[in-house]
Amino acid sequence: MPIVLASASPRRHELLGGAGIVFEVVVSPAEEIHDASMKPDVLCEINATLKAAAVANVRPDATVIGADTLVFIDDLPLGKPADMEDARQMLRRLSGRTHQVCTGVCVIYPGGGKNVFHDITQVTFLPLDDAAIDRYFTLANPLDKAGAYGIQESGELIISEIRGSFDNVMGLPVDKVIAALG
């Protein structure tokens, strides 16, 4: 039975492939919901479901995996920054504080069965001044990442501690996905 990842994220591709899963990629055309009034886990699960369902409609023969990752601080979501100034503001807000990274996942099986779940990881940032942010930006592109950072890209320059799944912070809680795939 084919497995399809409904994501353009190179990090999700890397994580799933690194786990030994053979899969195809079909980028989901679904539009994400951006609603700061929703609980983080609910918002991520809804977006993951929208992405997976859009691909499952064109690939009903496959097991489809959709995922959505958001960074939350003070219960407010930080998605991908609009530009470099937005990215800089996000890192200033995260500086010296603990925030949550939530990834919602939806696995849709042939026949329409569905498994929806999420994982949350606590991430604590080092205190960052403008020079530290500038240094990080010379090493990592913040524009395609929720919260304007990637833990796998020079994360040691900005992160002091994580509690939970490293893979979840990258964008896919691999252990939970493998369990859902059976």
Side-chain angles (χ1 to χ4, degrees), residues 142-178:
L143 297 179
D144 67 339
K145 297 167 189 73
Y149 76 93
I151 194 170
Q152 73 285 357
E153 290 181 308
S154 303
E156 70 280 359
L157 296 177
I158 58 172
I159 296 169
S160 65
E161 177 185 14
I162 72 162
R163 291 184 304 283
S165 167
F166 183 94
D167 291 346
N168 184 56
V169 180
M170 278 184 67
L172 195 67
V174 175
D175 290 345
K176 289 185 174 187
V177 171
I178 289 172

Side-chain angles (χ1 to χ4, degrees), residues 110-124:
K114 195 184 317 184
N115 186 351
V116 182
F117 54 92
H118 68 275
D119 198 11
I120 295 177
T121 303
Q122 305 289 323
V123 180
T124 303

Side-chain angles (χ1 to χ4, degrees), residues 40-115:
D41 55 337
V42 173
L43 181 59
C44 288
E45 287 184 2
I46 287 171
N47 282 331
T49 301
L50 290 170
K51 293 174 184 181
V55 172
N57 283 335
V58 296
R59 289 298 309 273
D61 62 310
T63 297
V64 178
I65 303 165
D68 186 58
T69 301
L70 287 175
V71 170
F72 286 85
I73 189 159
D74 303 325
D75 286 327
L76 296 173
L78 300 180
K80 295 175 185 171
D83 54 33
M84 290 302 287
E85 184 53 35
D86 192 26
R88 182 175 302 285
Q89 291 300 326
M90 286 183 185
L91 290 194
R92 284 182 185 136
R93 186 168 191 183
L94 297 171
S95 174
R97 299 182 64 198
T98 298
H99 63 276
Q100 297 74 43
V101 177
C102 181
T103 300
V105 179
C106 176
V107 180
I108 299 179
Y109 307 98
K114 195 184 317 184
N115 186 351

